Amino acid sequence: MNWGSWLFGFAGKATARGILLFALLGFVSPAWAALGDNSASVQADSARMNGALRSTSNARYTIQEIRTSNGQTVREFVSPGGSVFGVAWDGPTTPDLQQLLGSYFEQFRQASEQRQHPPRGPLAIETPTLVVQQSGHLRAFRGRAYLPTALPSGVQSSEIQ
Amino acid sequence: MKRVDVGKWLLLSLVLAVLALLAACGSSSPTVTSVSVACTPNTITSGGTSQCGAVVGGSGNIKQTVVWSSNQGSISSSGLFTAPMVTSQQRPVITAVSSQNSAQSGTYQITVNPTGPSITSVSVSCSPSVLQSAQTSQCSAMVNGIGNFDNAVTWSVSSGSISGSGVLTAPIVPTNTQVTATATSVQDNTKSAFTTLNISPAGTVSSVTVSCALSTIQSNQDSQCTATVGGTGSFSPAVTWAASPGTTTPSGLYVAPTVSTSTAVPVTATSVQNSAQAGSATVTVNPVAAGNNVVPVTVDAGPTNSYVNGAFASATICVPGTATCQTIDHLLVDTGSAGVRLLASGAAGGELGLALPQKLAPDGNPLNECFPLADGFVWGPVAQADVMLDGEQASTLAVQVIGQAGESSVPGTCSNGTTDLSALSALGANGILGVGLFTQDCGTACTQAPTNVYYSCPSGAACHPITLATTSQVLNPVPFLPGDNNGVLLQLPAVTPPGATTLSGTLFLGIGTQANNGVGSAAAYTTDSNGNFLVTYNGTNYPGSISSGLNANNLLNSTTVPQLPACTGNFSQYYCPASTQSISATNVGINNASSPITFGVDNAMDLFTTNPTFAVFPTLAGPSTAVPQAFDWGLPFFYGRNVFTAIERANTPLGPGPFWAY
């Protein structure tokens, strides 16, 4: 018997929901990072972005898709082991990269600083351990970030979109 | 503690029990009707004590026992109240509740004074309390307190002025007005009092004269007008403004309508105090002459001498309604964004030196914008300016000033780890002239939930994201021109590879509105509401766009186009094929109009190394990097094509925007 059904049997449906929700919130609330983090952070991202969450799976990974009311879509790619190895986004503006990149944000920030400006063009950060790409304009941005060394076996980077 | 004789207690208990039984069974059951309370002494100081007693009234065999409580300090079960430590006079309430009938209680209010001097109250009066503009009234304050308190007060007044000794000078008012004078204790600023005075107008208004900064303007331009009110005595200079045709603001800014013939418009100011006195000045509004829609464009290395494939133009920026203007060169012409962004002079290295009035957020704080670009952002206040493109002006347009000294620091949600481009060294231009498909830069995406685009910036506190109505957003200047306002035509000549040092072209305002911007044989390729159409490559459709602000054709990636490997190192944003590649793709509008495009791609590193003085590279291309892959045409697409960019919902000879046409 798993914990969920034990709780349902023991405490009744409504209370069990409350307990499960409480447990879930307690579990995820300290974390709001994503890339490289465990899948619980997807829930945190969803809550922080105030968005609706949709999950689709195939044999090699799960895509957790978050849609917000102002048209932002974020797709987080979760390995069978439960870690987030890629994030893709599109929407009218840029997403909160500090939230989505989590512990990789500082690496991104430093690489971003070293880019040459001008002229104006797409964003392309490519390091052996982190890739961040973005193009578009206000009203229509699209981009992605992934960990090249953390892709589950058989997964191509082109699938992160 | 006194020893208690157990035997006596047993006897007393027995007697009480019998009495209680008798009372319960008998006809004289106890009824509590009142509780009265008194404490001695009734005025004490911080930490002092006062003994309280209660008398329970009623009929029958009632008990005198009560339960004590107090809303401040503490009270024992025997009614001994201990005062709290106070810094100003307090009035704790002592409550005794009958233990026999909890519905019955009594209260007593005790006074607790601080041990040091304290203020208990302030009262204010002014004489006279009815006066005229500019007259004076002597106000005085009475401060009551305990101990050796300070009776000093500070004075303030809602309008007009007041001296330290309480002499109030009435404001000059055009109509009957109420003014409040307030005295606040210096020792205890929580103690204050106010009184209201009635002020009536005085003096006589005998004339109103009006002058306007610009006496001749064009359709849709504006002119700042000022009124001089003459009279005797303490008359009011307040006026109301009116003009027709056109509009006026409360501060006298006249905004002309679009006119088809030269029109003399009287701008009138009327005294509020005496509406029989008015003055006016005539502003002549001329229609925009044909041929005033030509903005020269140069493709060169830009102010940093490092730009490649950047199309630059000049605009004249003015403080709204005035002739205080500055012409800014090297604004990047961008058909992929909306809005004028001006880099400040000073540390940022830009040119804008005008003090443009900043716009306010709906909460009344200064309004700032974080304008995101794919590879960074620009940050700064939203301001109002008159923007003149060739001979046509967009008046009091919301623009963004970037890199302004002393501006609120960049919020973390804005920077997002990407690069702050609000400096010449990073931007490579003195600003951006966004003349793309849309009227506002952000549109409805910024109206629903706070996004990392618009920020309210309270003084001395961090900026926070806000929602902002489309009408308050930074605006594309083109739809606000008096004519030629349905879009633009960017015309750049063809360039033979590998390129050229510079290139000259033209940004024409309007589509099919004059002889110089006719559509000819061009076809329109409409876009979706985000400004994308489709580009078909090798049988697959990709989202696409045409943006003069992109310095290369940014298409797909090396996985999809293996003959185009990306360059290495600092040039990874470009393709470095082994030899010149010819690529074919097809643009497909949402209206299904399509046209095939074939273009060459050269090795970017070779181009740059072999031609270090060039700024024009027609065969420069790079990956779109993002997935899903995209096909964004940049400035090379414009070389040798007349490309029209039509504003959303605007009417053109090719139908309503948004679309690109060529």
Side-chain angles (χ1 to χ4, degrees):
Chain A
M1 181 179 277
N2 65 33
W3 277 101
S5 58
W6 180 81
L7 280 167
F8 271 80
F10 182 76
K13 199 170 178 183
T15 313
R17 269 189 192 154
I19 290 169
L20 283 173
L21 183 65
F22 180 78
L24 198 63
L25 288 173
F27 183 50
V28 302
S29 60
W32 51 275
L35 202 58
D37 215 327
N38 63 39
S39 58
S41 66
V42 178
Q43 304 275 351
D45 288 346
S46 175
R48 195 175 148 83
M49 294 174 71
N50 199 17
L53 186 63
R54 191 180 70 174
S55 181
T56 54
S57 294
N58 62 33
R60 295 166 302 149
Y61 51 81
T62 300
I63 302 174
Q64 306 269 19
E65 183 176 282
I66 303 164
R67 278 176 192 272
T68 69
S69 56
N70 59 0
Q72 192 86 43
T73 301
V74 171
R75 289 172 295 280
E76 307 198 349
F77 291 72
V78 184
S79 74
S83 75
V84 179
F85 61 88
V87 189
W89 59 86
D90 60 78
T93 182
T94 55
D96 184 341
L97 292 179
Q98 187 160 10
Q99 175 194 352
L100 294 183
L101 301 184
S103 57
Y104 288 86
F105 178 77
E106 185 56 24
Q107 187 181 338
F108 161 68
R109 196 190 61 73
Q110 286 179 12
S112 176
E113 244 173 30
Q114 288 163 9
R115 293 194 71 225
Q116 281 202 328
H117 299 275
R120 301 277 66 74
L123 173 72
I125 302 292
E126 295 188 32
T127 74
T129 52
L130 176 68
V131 172
V132 184
Q133 301 169 332
Q134 179 168 266
S135 70
H137 52 83
L138 186 55
R139 288 171 182 250
F141 279 104
R142 51 198 172 243
R144 64 170 177 167
Y146 65 92
L147 308 174
T149 55
L151 301 185
S153 67
V155 176
Q156 303 295 314
S157 65
S158 60
E159 294 177 52
I160 301 166
Q161 60 174 283
Chain B
M1 193 179 188
K2 198 178 166 184
R3 279 185 76 87
V4 177
D5 184 330
V6 174
K8 273 185 185 168
W9 268 107
L10 279 173
L11 185 64
L12 184 62
S13 302
L14 192 64
V15 170
L16 284 172
V18 170
L19 283 174
L21 199 63
L22 284 172
C25 300
S27 58
S28 61
S29 64
T31 308
V32 174
T33 57
S34 69
V35 179
S36 55
V37 182
C39 303
T40 307
N42 66 1
T43 300
I44 55 178
T45 55
S46 280
T49 59
S50 177
Q51 180 63 54
C52 300
V55 176
V56 180
S59 59
N61 209 348
I62 57 171
K63 290 182 186 172
Q64 288 296 320
T65 51
V66 293
V67 176
W68 292 99
S69 62
S70 67
N71 65 344
Q72 283 177 284
S74 61
I75 189 163
S76 74
S77 58
S78 61
L80 184 67
F81 172 76
T82 303
M85 303 304 291
V86 298
T87 54
S88 62
Q89 188 182 71
Q90 303 292 318
R91 304 289 313 277
V93 176
I94 313 294
T95 303
V97 179
S98 162
S99 57
Q100 209 165 17
N101 178 358
S102 63
Q104 293 297 328
S105 65
T107 61
Y108 187 85
Q109 199 163 21
I110 217 165
T111 300
V112 179
N113 289 319
T115 47
S118 68
I119 309 294
T120 50
S121 67
V122 178
S123 60
V124 175
S125 64
C126 300
S127 179
S129 63
V130 175
L131 61 163
Q132 292 186 331
S133 289
Q135 288 184 340
T136 59
S137 174
Q138 177 65 56
C139 296
S140 57
M142 172 87 78
V143 181
N144 300 305
I146 296 146
N148 187 24
F149 65 89
D150 181 358
N151 66 357
V153 295
T154 55
W155 289 100
S156 61
V157 67
S158 59
S159 94
S161 63
I162 194 164
S163 73
S165 58
V167 177
L168 180 148
T169 303
I172 293 171
V173 297
T175 57
N176 290 341
T177 304
Q178 287 198 322
V179 166
T180 318
T182 303
T184 303
S185 161
V186 171
Q187 180 180 324
D188 179 356
N189 65 13
T190 66
K191 298 289 191 294
S192 66
F194 67 87
T195 187
T196 304
L197 299 89
N198 292 301
I199 318 294
S200 57
T204 308
V205 173
S206 56
S207 69
V208 178
T209 57
V210 173
S211 66
C212 296
L214 306 169
S215 57
T216 302
I217 58 178
Q218 290 178 347
S219 289
N220 218 38
Q221 291 186 352
D222 50 18
S223 179
Q224 179 67 55
C225 300
T226 52
T228 306
V229 180
T232 55
S234 301
F235 65 89
S236 164
V239 295
T240 55
W241 291 95
S244 181
T247 60
T248 51
T249 68
S251 60
L253 183 70
Y254 169 68
V255 183
T258 301
V259 298
S260 52
T261 58
S262 182
T263 307
V265 181
V267 180
T268 304
T270 303
S271 163
V272 178
Q273 182 172 338
N274 179 0
S275 61
Q277 293 297 333
S280 68
T282 300
V283 175
T284 302
V285 182
N286 291 319
V288 175
N292 273 342
N293 65 333
V294 181
V295 180
V297 171
T298 305
V299 181
D300 61 25
T304 55
N305 201 29
S306 64
Y307 221 102
V308 292
N309 288 340
F312 298 104
S314 295
T316 299
I317 309 297
C318 304
V319 175
T322 73
T324 306
C325 302
Q326 190 183 4
T327 298
I328 313 276
D329 62 54
H330 280 95
L331 298 170
L332 185 70
V333 177
D334 186 11
T335 62
S337 72
V340 179
R341 299 165 209 287
L342 304 163
L343 191 64
S345 60
E351 290 188 350
L352 183 74
L354 298 175
L356 298 174
Q358 184 166 5
K359 289 191 70 173
L360 299 180
D363 63 8
N365 292 317
L367 176 65
N368 275 36
E369 184 179 22
C370 173
F371 182 73
L373 295 142
D375 60 339
F377 64 93
V378 291
W379 167 255
V382 178
Q384 283 185 318
D386 290 344
V387 176
M388 178 84 89
L389 299 171
D390 188 22
E392 302 194 37
Q393 177 178 298
S395 297
T396 58
L397 191 77
V399 302
Q400 186 187 19
V401 180
I402 54 185
Q404 181 154 289
E407 206 32 62
S408 306
S409 58
V410 178
T413 49
C414 165
S415 58
N416 222 348
T418 59
T419 308
D420 189 349
L421 303 170
S422 315
L424 184 65
S425 57
L427 197 62
N430 290 322
I432 300 172
L433 185 60
V435 291
L437 301 167
F438 300 107
T439 301
Q440 309 93 17
D441 60 356
C442 189
T444 55
C446 286
T447 66
Q448 331 234 319
T451 59
N452 54 351
V453 177
Y454 285 104
Y455 288 80
S456 162
C457 291
S459 174
C463 303
H464 57 272
I466 56 168
T467 59
L468 194 66
T470 53
T471 50
S472 299
Q473 296 177 7
V474 168
L475 299 169
N476 186 335
V478 174
F480 299 93
L481 298 173
D484 305 310
N485 51 21
N486 57 355
V488 294
L489 159 62
L490 180 55
Q491 191 176 66
L492 293 167
V495 184
T496 307
T501 52
T502 63
L503 194 65
S504 293
T506 306
L507 179 71
F508 293 95
L509 307 174
I511 298 175
T513 54
Q514 297 200 28
N516 61 14
N517 60 14
V519 295
S521 59
Y525 304 87
T526 60
T527 76
D528 63 19
S529 60
N530 295 327
N532 286 323
F533 60 11
L534 296 174
V535 180
T536 308
Y537 175 77
N538 224 355
T540 303
N541 286 334
Y542 299 94
S545 65
I546 302 178
S547 174
S548 61
L550 282 177
N551 81 317
N553 291 327
N554 288 110
L555 61 131
L556 311 175
N557 62 33
S558 303
T559 310
T560 309
V561 195
Q563 64 271 42
L564 295 180
C567 307
T568 54
N570 285 337
F571 298 98
S572 65
Q573 71 200 82
Y574 302 115
Y575 283 133
C576 277
S579 60
T580 302
Q581 300 295 313
S582 180
I583 306 291
S584 292
T586 302
N587 287 338
V588 183
I590 304 302
N591 58 351
N592 280 325
S594 69
S595 70
I597 308 287
T598 298
F599 64 105
V601 179
D602 275 316
N603 184 305
M605 286 178 82
D606 287 351
L607 286 173
F608 297 153
T609 311
T610 316
N611 310 286
T613 62
F614 282 14
V616 185
F617 293 103
T619 55
L620 189 66
S624 77
T625 74
V627 175
Q629 292 180 65
F631 211 121
D632 295 316
W633 299 102
L635 198 67
F637 181 84
F638 290 75
Y639 299 151
R641 282 191 183 87
N642 288 349
V643 182
F644 298 85
T645 304
I647 305 282
E648 55 180 334
R649 291 188 288 279
N651 290 317
T652 79
L654 295 172
F659 65 76
W660 291 291
Y662 51 86

